């Protein structure tokens, strides 16, 4: 177990380095650059632009730039944003809670709904409900998230006026309801795909268990079906679900970016998009690293939990 | 290009990894597929869409590029334009169909590319194993660490958007899943008797890889490829929505949506039709993929 | 990046002008200038009177996010929305182009002895009663520190041009400062009108002036002091009761960032946002917005001119006949009336019509494809087998670029594509993300043609040396924005004449000729002068549009709820 942990951690670190090389290369080699935003400042001259590029270290060879960035990262210095000169970690930390709030709400919603639908589908296998929910899940996986968001805004904000059209809160309204009110639409939109995933997984995990011996025994003992499902089947079907939660993290992060864009949610995804637009390399790199870190932690947790609950999984 | 809808192949990988018998017992596959009603419906929908997109525009008396500024925002199902007109007075139906050509082409081309690349890498990694295999799979893992939206956007900065370049970047973010599926398959198959038998009979590594292993992994590859088309169509829509897509005046479903956003209040049909087309197309491919999975994978019959 | 974000336009139609609209537009439709100095534009002249104590809150919605809060540092246009309310300048521009003292006690002029007759020696008197938000008195030392910091080579300064002409900056007394100019430079007062000052006593203690801790909690002399910032969402400013000018009348000013124009409009509709600044309401929503109850919507002219920039360094655009023919083939009327809902005003000049130097007598363009074809025929551009014209092996074929995602421009581009194909010119659309478009691609003239909105003025000053002087071609080593590579000795001479004197009549004569020259030579095909559709919740009084500022929340200190 300890050996497994050490080797997984070493692998993860290696992966992070790889991620940083790929990310850095892709970003810096792409056309355009952070100077463009300043080029249009009235009175700006080429000479002054060159000075600014020099001050930012942008005139150095790329490998050297990477090395400087990386060596500073090793001592915990993530650099400063090109836009507002604030430390990258502070910039990201200011945005992360909004993203986590959105993702948390979406996961809670997705797990609750998805598990219910999945369990019901598995228990009433091949019923109309099962067929419909399976088809529904597939369609949900096929709807472009942003389009669903737009339609939601159109229906619930523009036409019906029930929900706000975006933002995390109305300025000056610090009530809990104010926050929840703003959270409903984006959380539902982000949850849509996850509901589909969770219900399908839950259904197949349940089906894997439902015909196993101990379940048959429980039934044979004359336990009520409800009790069999809740106590025997569901408890055992949970195991693969925990791994899923870890593996779904990148999906959720990507979904959050799009949802944040549509609902002008002030989270990390929105920050990524803005920073990419301004070619604010330090911030973009920071977000890439943070999300890669989250993803790695997610999959590590998934493996660990998987190993703990299922001794048949060999950790090597 | 949210990861969300792009994820099916990854989930597929997880599913398949628990089913080592996949790829075997293809007898009766067609029968099983045909029993899958949603899959058949999906296949029919895809066929219909292909037919409509490639023949439809020939039958409609409007040019997709002709701007008629005095007749902008004509509503649908009234007047000569069946689906109405867009913000420049162009016929929406013919644009939808022409856009379908672009979006479906991108979908298929990206699928072909990423399947080819993913299969090659997965095959080598799975068969060779060892350091080469580990190195290849770590690269796959590293790329998978980026939520694919992030990666897609970063890559989009490189290109002047057109059909070829958009296809390339979508393929560049879609091969990893296939590689994983194939690598997993090959690793299981490699341990089987027939591989050993072939090797004992003196077959070369390349022969074993292509003739024995690949042939036996074809089922999951087909399934993954089908789901990759769905993913690519969605990815195109996401790239366009975030402003890095196909350039006007050429239409794709994605960029039609991008332009329609601001008219959501006054001309909602501009957003609704392309969105529906995407959903139907993607769902159809997903249904077919699902059906194929059931048909090609014996253990699905629990 | 004002250029790619300006979505809005001025109005030739003022339906049932209210008093406010009269104020806004200078009394008449298509007003050529604000009708004289608007002496009465202070809030007191409006219907209701402001409260005696700061009261209430106003939310300004912006589609970009202000992020730089050290006002001397390199920043972009949107950051100034905060500066205008948090910091002070020596003087600011009135809507009529005159200056009103802010930190200065009076506007220096030749008449009051502030500027010597040759324009070289300056003496600025400061108000004695100004205090920074932390209570420290504002003095001439602050001014000296700021002027020096702007040209400090170690500092990432927001603007050097102009300030680098200053010599011998001397503090005479806490309320008086003098300097000498290297050479006379007429636009300098205008530049000072948007040079916001930071406190010396805080800034000089910064460990790294380029990574200022100051930006976390900025201190200024403006009508509002710093409240809090929620990154990615909003900034809250609080009334500064020790403000030296009139106001502030609002207790809280919130600057909210809503990145999507459609969502911004929706939030304005629902009342979450009291005022839409920067780009305003998109023309697509103008008709609908007019019917809103409880909101006042009006088009306000901006100084930005929408142009088709032609890179005259390329063989295809070298020929004036080509530029002329392309201009003749532009269906300007359809663009303005259909795509922009008739909001912008067609123009032939690079200056806004409100400028004192505007030339109203330029020949008006008319859409005439036949004449365009004849012009090309006469110049030797003959149609090839595919219909595209060719001359000496050069095909009349080029790309047109603008910022990707600007929907109205994209529509106009597609219309132009059709217009130009009609006369045998093939244009391909090649739009780019801002970070690519406005980088070397634009600055070093790597584009072929571009659709771009430019404010050619230096604030209220009509000097356009940066855009038309042959010394401002960055692609040829110059330091400016002459990206069309317009190279004309005549223009150079006129620009020099215009900037070297403070005599307005003399300057105007030079600029009138320059406008005629650019209209004839057409390095830019002028399309229209923008107007922003401004939206304000009913009851919010005191705001006044100001064409000389980038941000319309320039006087939020004087806003109040009726």
């Amino acid at each position: 177990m300890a050996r497994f942990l050490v080797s997984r951690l070493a692998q993860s670190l290696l992966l992070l380095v790889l991620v940083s090389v790929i990310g850095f290369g892709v970003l810096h080699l792409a056309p355009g650059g952070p100077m463009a935003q300043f080029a249009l400042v009235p009175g700006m001259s080429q000479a002054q632009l060159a000075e600014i590029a020099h001050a930012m270290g942008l005139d150095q060879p790329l490998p050297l730039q990477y090395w400087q960035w990386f060596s500073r990262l090793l001592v915990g210095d993530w650099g400063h944003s090109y836009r507002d000169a604030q430390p990258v970690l502070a910039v990201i930390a200011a945005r992360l809670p909004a993203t986590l709030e959105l993702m948390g709400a979406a996961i809670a919603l997705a797990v609750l709904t998805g598990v219910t639908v999945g369990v019901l589908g598995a228990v009433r296998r091949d019923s109309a409900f099962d067929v419909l929910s399976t088809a529904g899940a597939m369609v949900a996986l096929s709807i472009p998230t942003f389009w669903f968001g737009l339609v939601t805004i159109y229906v619930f904000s523009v036409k019906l006026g029930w929900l706000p059209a975006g933002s995390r809160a109305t300025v000056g309204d610090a009530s809990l309801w104010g926050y929840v009110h703003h959270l409903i639409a984006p959380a539902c939109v982000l949850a849509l795909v996850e509901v589909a995933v969770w219900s399908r997984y839950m259904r197949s995990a349940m089906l894997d268990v439902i015909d196993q011996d101990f379940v048959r025994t429980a039934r044979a003992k004359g336990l009520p079906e409800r009790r069999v499902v809740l106590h025997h089947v569901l408890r055992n079907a949970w195991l693969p679900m925990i791994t899923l939660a870890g593996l779904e993290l990148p999906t959720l992060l990507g979904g959050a970016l799009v949802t944040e864009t549509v609902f002008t949610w002030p989270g990390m995804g929105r920050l990524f998009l803005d920073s990419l637009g301004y070619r604010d390399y330090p911030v973009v790199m920071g977000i890439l690293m943070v999300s890669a870190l989250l993803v790695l932690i997610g999959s590590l947790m998934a493996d660990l939990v998987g190993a703990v609950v299922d001794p048949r999984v060999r950790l090597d | 290009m949210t990861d969300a809808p792009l994820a099916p192949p990854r989930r597929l990988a997880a599913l398949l990894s628990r089913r080592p018998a996949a790829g075997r017992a293809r007898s009766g596959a067609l029968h099983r597929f045909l029993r899958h009603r949603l899959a058949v419906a999906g296949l029919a929908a895809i066929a219909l869409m292909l037919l409509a997109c490639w023949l439809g525009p020939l039958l409609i008396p409007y040019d997709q590029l002709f701007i008629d500024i005095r007749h902008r925002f004509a509503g649908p199902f009234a007047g000569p334009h069946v689906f109405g007109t867009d913000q420049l007075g162009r016929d929406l139906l013919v644009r939808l169909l022409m856009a379908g050509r672009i979006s479906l082409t991108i979908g298929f081309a990206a699928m072909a590319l990423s399947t080819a690349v993913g299969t090659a890498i997965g095959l080598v990694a799975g068969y060779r194993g060892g350091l080469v295999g580990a190195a290849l799979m770590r690269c796959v893992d590293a790329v998978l660490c980026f939520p694919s939206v992030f990666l897609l956007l970063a890559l989009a900065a490189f290109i002047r958007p057109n059909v070829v370049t958009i296809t390339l970047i979508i393929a560049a973010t879609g091969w990893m899943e296939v590689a994983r599926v194939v690598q997993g398959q090959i690793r299981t198959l490699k341990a089987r008797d027939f591989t050993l038998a072939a090797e004992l009979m003196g077959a070369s590594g390349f022969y074993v890889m292509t003739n024995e292993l690949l042939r036996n992994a074809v089922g999951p590859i087909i399934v993954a490829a089908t789901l990759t088309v769905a993913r690519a169509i969605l990815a195109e829509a996401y790239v366009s929505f975030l402003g890095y897509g196909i350039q006007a005046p050429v239409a794709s479903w994605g960029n039609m949506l991008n332009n329609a956003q601001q008219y959501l209040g006054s001309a909602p049909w501009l957003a609704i039709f392309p969105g529906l087309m995407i959903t139907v197309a993607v769902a159809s491919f997903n249904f077919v993929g699902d059906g194929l999975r059931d048909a090609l994978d014996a253990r699905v019959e629990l | 990046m004002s250029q790619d974000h300006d979505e809005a336009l001025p109005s030739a139609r003022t339906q049932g002008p209210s008093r406010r609209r009269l104020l806004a537009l200078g009394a008449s439709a298509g007003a050529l200038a604000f009708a004289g100095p608007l002496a009465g534009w202070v809030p007191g002249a409006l219907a209701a009177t402001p409260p005696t104590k700061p009261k209430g809150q106003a939310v300004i919605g912006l589609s970009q996010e202000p992020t730089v809060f050290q006002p001397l540092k390199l920043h972009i246009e949107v950051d100034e929305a905060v500066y205008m309310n948090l910091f002070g300048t020596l003087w600011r521009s009135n809507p009529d182009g005159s200056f009103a003292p802010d930190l200065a006690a009076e506007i220096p002029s030749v008449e009051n002895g502030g500027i010597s007759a040759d324009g070289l020696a300056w003496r600025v008197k400061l108000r004695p009663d100004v205090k920074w938000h932390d209570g420290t008195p504002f003095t001439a030392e602050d001014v000296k520190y700021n002027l020096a910091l702007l040209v400090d080579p170690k500092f990432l300064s927001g603007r050097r041009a102009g300030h680098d002409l200053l010599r011998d900056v001397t503090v005479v007394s806490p309320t008086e400062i003098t300097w000498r100019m290297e050479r006379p430079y007429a636009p300098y007062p205008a530049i000072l009108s948007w040079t916001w000052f930071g406190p010396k006593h805080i800034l000089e203690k910064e460990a790294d002036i380029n990574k200022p801790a100051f930006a976390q909690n900025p201190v200024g002399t403006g009508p509002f002091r710093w409240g809090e910032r929620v990154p990615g969402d909003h900034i809250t400013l609080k009334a500064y009761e020790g403000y030296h000018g009139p106001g502030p009348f609002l207790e809280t000013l919130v600057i909210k960032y809503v990145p999507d124009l459609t969502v911004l409009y929706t939030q304005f509709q629902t009342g979450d946002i009291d005022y839409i600044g920067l780009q305003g309401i998109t023309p697509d929503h103008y008709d609908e917005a007019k019917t809103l109850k409880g909101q006042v919507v009006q088009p306000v002219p901006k100084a930005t001119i929408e142009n088709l920039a032609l890179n005259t360094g390329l063989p295809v655009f070298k020929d004036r006949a080509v530029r002329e023919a392309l201009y003749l083939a532009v269906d300007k009327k359809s663009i303005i009336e259909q795509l922009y809902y008739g909001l912008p005003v067609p123009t032939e000049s690079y200056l806004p019509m409100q400028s004192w130097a505007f030339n109203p007598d330029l020949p008006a363009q008319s859409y005439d494809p036949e004449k365009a074809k004849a012009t090309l025929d006469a110049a030797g551009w003959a149609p090839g087998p595919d219909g595209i014209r060719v001359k000496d092996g050069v095909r009349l074929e080029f790309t047109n670029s603008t910022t990707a995602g600007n929907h109205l421009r994209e529509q106009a581009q597609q219309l132009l594509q059709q217009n130009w194909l009609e006369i045998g010119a093939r244009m391909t659309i090649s739009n780019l993300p801002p970070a690519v478009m406005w980088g070397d691609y634009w600055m070093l003239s790597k584009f072929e043609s571009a659709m771009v909105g430019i404010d050619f003025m230096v604030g209220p000053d009509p000097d356009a040396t940066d855009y038309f002087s042959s010394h401002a071609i960055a692609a040829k080593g110059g330091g400016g924005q002459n990206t069309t590579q317009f190279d004309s000795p005549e223009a150079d001479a006129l620009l020099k004449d215009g900037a070297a004197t403070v005599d307005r009549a003399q300057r105007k004569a030079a600029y009138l000729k320059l406008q005629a020259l650019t209209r004839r030579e057409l390095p830019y095909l002028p399309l229209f002068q923008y107007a922003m559709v401004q939206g304000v919740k009913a009851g919010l009084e005191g705001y006044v549009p100001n064409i000389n500022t980038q941000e319309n929340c320039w006087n939020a200190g004087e806003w109040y709820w009726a």
Side-chain angles (χ1 to χ4, degrees):
Chain A
M1 185 74 192
R3 233 190 99 224
F4 165 76
L5 254 183
V6 171
S7 102
R8 271 305 300 262
L9 281 177
Q11 273 185 25
S12 301
L13 281 179
L14 187 73
L15 272 183
L16 278 180
V17 176
L18 257 173
V19 163
S20 73
V21 175
I22 298 174
F24 202 91
V26 166
L27 273 182
H28 284 76
L29 291 173
M35 305 313 297
Q37 58 175 314
F38 304 125
L40 302 184
V41 170
M44 185 56 67
S45 68
Q46 273 314 103
Q48 204 187 337
L49 279 176
E51 258 172 54
I52 298 164
H54 178 72
M56 288 177 170
L58 291 168
D59 53 347
Q60 287 167 344
L62 197 53
L64 189 65
Q65 282 187 49
Y66 175 76
W67 175 245
Q68 286 173 344
W69 175 81
F70 187 73
S71 54
R72 276 200 299 263
L73 188 69
L74 287 181
V75 295
D77 176 5
W78 290 57
H80 288 75
S81 160
Y82 288 165
R83 274 178 85 199
D84 55 8
Q86 297 304 306
V88 167
L89 272 192
V91 173
I92 295 178
R95 300 291 200 95
L96 200 55
T99 299
L100 293 181
E101 174 187 314
L102 179 61
M103 279 169 49
I107 286 218
L109 212 68
V111 171
L112 273 180
T113 326
V115 167
T116 313
V117 170
V119 168
L120 289 179
V123 170
R124 301 188 200 146
R125 200 173 163 197
D126 293 331
S127 68
F129 176 82
D130 186 28
V131 173
L132 272 180
S133 67
T134 306
M138 282 305 237
V139 172
L141 280 173
S142 310
I143 297 178
T145 307
F146 70 87
W147 182 68
F148 186 58
L150 291 180
V151 173
T152 307
I153 291 181
Y154 175 63
V155 174
F156 292 99
S157 306
V158 178
K159 284 285 142 190
L160 297 174
W162 291 353
L163 296 171
S167 295
R168 195 176 170 198
T170 305
V171 181
D173 174 15
S175 67
L176 181 66
W177 167 240
Y179 279 96
V180 174
H181 198 208
H182 281 82
L183 188 57
I184 296 173
C188 288
V189 168
L190 181 58
L192 177 78
V193 171
E194 294 299 312
V195 170
V197 174
W198 282 87
S199 70
R200 288 188 45 86
Y201 261 83
M202 197 62 216
R203 180 176 175 277
S204 73
M206 287 281 290
L207 289 178
D208 274 347
V209 178
I210 216 159
D211 287 331
Q212 281 180 19
D213 292 343
F214 69 94
V215 179
R216 287 208 201 111
T217 317
R219 278 213 188 92
K221 281 195 299 189
L223 289 178
E225 184 66 22
R226 192 183 153 78
R227 203 178 142 78
V228 173
V229 168
L230 287 181
H231 279 245
H232 292 82
V233 181
L234 190 55
R235 214 165 63 186
N236 286 285
W238 258 117
L239 308 182
M241 307 296 292
I242 300 170
T243 3
L244 177 63
L247 296 175
E248 278 298 309
L249 248 172
T251 308
L252 208 56
L253 269 175
L257 179 136
V258 176
T259 312
E260 285 177 8
T261 308
V262 175
F263 288 95
T264 63
W265 191 263
M268 202 174 70
R270 186 66 238 177
L271 176 68
F272 180 81
L273 215 62
D274 283 358
S275 303
L276 198 65
Y278 286 104
R279 295 288 194 279
D280 191 346
Y281 299 140
V283 175
V284 177
M285 279 308 291
I287 296 175
L288 283 180
M289 296 306 284
V290 167
S291 59
L293 206 63
L294 285 178
V295 170
L296 284 173
I297 292 174
S299 73
L300 190 64
M301 297 285 273
D303 284 359
L304 277 180
V305 172
V308 169
V309 298
D310 185 358
R312 282 170 308 176
V313 176
R314 258 183 43 234
L315 294 176
D316 54 8
Chain B
M1 153 197 74
T2 165
D3 254 284
L6 303 189
R10 190 175 313 170
R11 285 170 206 132
L12 177 76
L15 272 181
L16 289 174
S17 66
R18 293 194 288 121
R19 296 195 176 120
R24 200 186 42 180
R26 248 190 323 280
S27 60
L30 181 67
H31 178 69
R32 277 200 299 278
F33 182 83
L34 289 178
R35 237 179 38 197
H36 205 298
R37 260 174 298 173
L38 284 175
V40 174
L43 198 61
I46 293 168
L48 196 72
M49 223 175 304
L50 288 173
L51 214 66
C53 289
W54 267 269
L55 294 183
L58 308 177
L59 308 174
I60 301 171
Y62 296 104
D63 183 277
Q64 63 146 342
L65 296 181
F66 181 72
I67 295 171
D68 183 2
I69 202 77
R70 285 177 312 277
H71 295 106
R72 54 201 308 236
F73 299 121
F77 310 121
H81 301 276
V82 182
F83 278 19
T85 60
D86 71 358
Q87 57 271 31
L88 287 171
R90 297 172 295 203
D91 184 73
L92 196 65
L93 178 59
V94 75
R95 274 183 81 72
L96 265 181
L97 297 177
M98 294 303 284
R101 288 188 188 179
I102 302 279
S103 292
L104 291 169
T105 305
I106 290 176
F108 280 110
M111 174 272 283
L113 255 173
S114 51
T115 306
V117 173
T119 305
I121 290 181
L123 197 56
V124 172
Y127 183 71
R128 285 268 171 254
L131 203 64
V132 178
L136 281 175
M137 291 321 285
R138 285 301 84 76
C139 283
V140 171
D141 289 345
V143 182
L144 277 175
C145 275
F146 300 102
S148 59
V149 200
F150 290 27
L151 198 59
L152 214 43
L153 283 183
L155 286 178
F158 272 97
I159 55 159
R160 290 288 179 84
N162 58 48
V163 176
V164 177
T165 54
I166 293 284
T167 304
L168 282 177
I169 64 164
I170 291 175
T173 58
W175 57 273
M176 300 87 66
E177 320 279 6
V178 185
R180 272 200 167 175
V181 174
V182 174
Q183 190 251 4
Q185 279 295 304
I186 299 297
R187 255 177 56 179
T188 350
L189 290 171
K190 206 182 134 190
R192 298 273 190 73
D193 297 342
F194 66 88
T195 316
L196 208 59
E199 276 171 349
L200 283 176
M201 284 163 67
S204 72
F206 185 74
Y207 176 86
V208 174
M209 268 202 278
T210 51
N211 276 28
E212 298 295 335
L213 295 178
L214 193 54
R215 219 173 49 191
N216 282 287
V218 128
I221 294 177
I222 291 178
V223 176
T226 313
L227 297 178
T228 307
V229 180
R231 178 198 166 278
I233 294 173
L234 271 181
E236 186 278 320
Y238 282 98
V239 177
S240 293
F241 172 70
L242 295 171
Y244 293 87
I246 304 279
Q247 295 273 323
V250 177
S252 77
W253 287 335
N255 77 8
M256 289 177 79
L257 268 183
N258 180 27
N259 293 325
Q261 191 184 354
Q262 58 190 321
Y263 303 114
L264 211 53
S266 53
W269 63 91
L270 293 183
I272 289 169
F273 288 129
L276 282 179
M277 291 299 274
I278 295 175
T279 307
V280 170
V282 175
S284 300
F285 281 102
N286 279 336
F287 283 137
V288 171
D290 206 37
L292 283 172
R293 175 159 57 212
D294 286 355
L296 299 173
D297 180 358
R299 271 230 18 201
V300 169
E301 301 294 319
L302 287 161
Chain C
M1 229 161 282
S2 66
Q3 329 206 330
D4 51 315
H5 280 290
D6 269 306
E7 295 260 13
L9 354 128
S11 164
R13 321 181 275 191
T14 29
Q15 293 91 342
S18 65
R19 181 149 54 124
R20 184 181 294 127
R21 187 170 283 135
L22 283 171
L23 277 171
L25 287 176
S28 75
L32 296 187
F34 284 98
L38 285 172
W41 58 270
V42 290
L46 292 167
T49 50
T52 46
K53 260 181 78 68
K55 200 172 76 186
Q57 161 184 297
V59 181
I60 298 171
L62 300 178
S63 54
Q64 286 173 281
E65 185 184 15
T67 54
V68 179
F69 306 110
Q70 206 281 37
L72 304 168
K73 258 199 82 181
L74 196 54
H75 59 261
I76 55 175
E77 177 193 348
V78 69
D79 296 314
E80 296 179 2
V82 176
Y83 303 168
M84 286 165 174
N85 297 300
L86 197 60
F87 298 105
T89 51
L90 287 176
W91 45 81
R92 51 187 198 178
S93 295
N94 287 332
D96 65 354
S98 66
F99 297 114
D102 177 11
L103 299 173
E106 60 180 16
I107 311 294
S109 63
V110 178
E111 292 75 41
N112 66 19
I115 305 178
S116 63
D118 59 3
L120 293 177
W122 285 53
R123 175 177 305 274
V124 178
K125 294 205 173 80
L126 304 173
R127 284 180 74 120
D129 56 344
V130 179
K131 283 194 167 61
W132 295 98
H133 294 158
D134 64 359
T136 314
F138 163 86
T139 70
E141 289 293 344
D142 286 305
V143 179
K144 185 179 175 186
Y145 174 81
N146 278 276
L147 292 175
L149 187 60
L150 282 165
V151 292
D152 183 341
K154 287 194 293 296
F155 179 61
L156 285 181
S157 167
R159 184 183 184 105
R160 300 254 160 88
H163 303 299
D164 53 6
L165 298 174
L166 263 57
R167 301 287 179 274
D168 307 331
V169 181
T170 311
V171 173
V172 179
S173 79
T175 57
E176 191 173 329
I177 188 166
T178 62
W179 64 74
R180 188 169 60 76
M181 303 287 288
E182 179 68 24
R183 57 181 163 80
Y185 183 52
Y188 195 56
I191 290 172
L192 283 174
S193 77
W194 86 91
T195 300
W196 289 271
F197 290 155
K200 177 187 180 201
H201 65 281
I202 300 178
L203 291 177
E204 68 182 357
K205 292 193 195 107
E206 292 280 1
D208 181 350
I209 191 70
N210 287 321
K211 297 180 177 119
F214 174 78
Q216 305 278 13
N217 192 10
V219 170
T221 56
F224 292 94
R225 60 187 168 77
W226 187 253
E228 61 153 0
R229 172 177 182 229
V230 178
D233 199 67
H234 70 271
I235 293 158
T236 310
L237 303 180
K238 295 279 176 196
Y240 171 47
E241 310 238 358
Y243 183 57
H244 55 274
F249 304 127
L250 293 167
E251 201 179 353
T252 316
L253 186 70
V254 177
I255 296 176
K256 190 163 168 52
Y257 166 53
V258 181
D260 183 276
L261 287 175
T262 309
V263 176
L264 185 62
Y265 172 67
T266 313
Q267 295 197 357
F268 172 69
Q269 241 179 334
T270 57
D272 283 356
I273 282 172
D274 301 314
Y275 177 90
I276 297 194
L278 204 57
Q279 291 135 290
I281 297 169
T282 59
D284 303 314
H285 291 129
Y286 177 55
D287 274 341
E288 187 194 333
K290 275 188 302 194
T291 65
L292 293 177
K293 295 201 168 40
Q295 271 97 341
V296 183
V297 169
Q298 64 176 36
V300 171
K302 292 197 76 172
T304 310
I305 309 292
E306 181 82 340
N307 292 286
L308 285 153
L310 307 178
N311 186 347
T312 60
L314 297 175
V316 65
F317 293 129
K318 269 220 151 57
D319 190 346
R320 202 196 70 87
V322 168
R323 308 198 293 266
E324 170 89 46
L326 290 176
Y327 195 38
L328 282 167
V330 171
D331 186 359
K332 222 190 236 195
K333 197 169 161 221
S334 286
I335 293 176
I336 293 175
E337 287 183 3
Q338 301 288 334
L339 302 183
Y340 286 87
Y341 296 86
L343 286 163
V345 182
T347 188
E348 304 295 338
S349 167
Y350 61 86
L351 288 176
M353 39 196 67
Q354 290 77 4
S355 167
W356 52 260
F358 177 74
N359 185 342
D361 302 320
L362 301 172
Q365 181 261 14
S366 61
Y367 173 50
D368 191 344
E370 289 315 313
K371 195 171 163 197
K373 284 183 205 166
T375 309
L376 287 171
D377 287 339
W381 291 85
D386 59 350
I388 305 303
R389 291 174 187 263
V390 192
K391 182 186 177 184
D392 304 332
V394 179
R395 283 168 63 82
L396 191 40
E397 201 168 35
F398 52 91
T399 61
N400 185 269
S401 307
T402 191
T403 320
N406 188 324
H407 302 289
L408 288 177
R409 279 220 189 108
E410 271 169 19
Q411 291 176 25
Q413 280 178 315
Q414 295 176 57
L415 193 63
L416 287 168
Q417 200 171 33
Q418 188 161 311
N419 286 163
W420 284 338
L421 197 59
E422 235 175 282
I423 61 162
R426 175 176 291 149
M427 179 265 266
T428 316
I429 297 170
S430 171
N431 293 341
L432 300 163
V436 181
M437 178 74 203
W438 308 120
D440 290 352
Y441 188 72
W442 169 253
M443 290 300 284
L444 297 182
S445 307
K446 292 176 182 168
F447 68 98
E448 295 180 9
S449 72
M451 205 159 179
V452 50
I454 299 179
D455 178 355
F456 289 88
M457 309 225 291
V458 181
D461 195 279
D463 176 39
T465 308
D466 241 18
Y467 295 92
F468 293 115
S469 159
S470 65
H471 305 294
I473 306 175
K476 293 180 184 163
Q481 295 225 20
N482 186 352
T483 54
T484 60
Q485 308 196 52
F486 179 58
D487 190 344
S488 150
E490 196 186 342
D492 288 351
L494 290 169
L495 285 164
K496 207 166 157 225
D497 288 353
T501 170
V502 283
D503 183 84
R504 190 168 275 197
Q506 231 176 310
R507 297 187 72 195
K508 184 169 177 173
Y511 293 143
L512 289 181
K513 279 188 207 149
L514 182 61
Q515 288 167 75
L517 180 71
T518 56
R519 170 64 184 85
R520 195 166 64 242
E521 288 298 323
L522 294 170
Y524 293 94
L525 311 182
L527 291 179
F528 54 76
Q529 179 187 346
Y530 272 100
M532 175 187 90
V533 180
Q534 177 175 257
V536 189
K537 194 184 280 178
L540 186 62
E541 300 283 341
Y543 71 92
V544 179
N546 188 340
I547 196 161
N548 300 310
T549 58
Q550 299 274 25
E551 236 62 61
N552 272 6
C553 41
W554 68 288
N555 75 333
E558 288 153 38
W559 296 0
Y560 59 93
W561 289 104

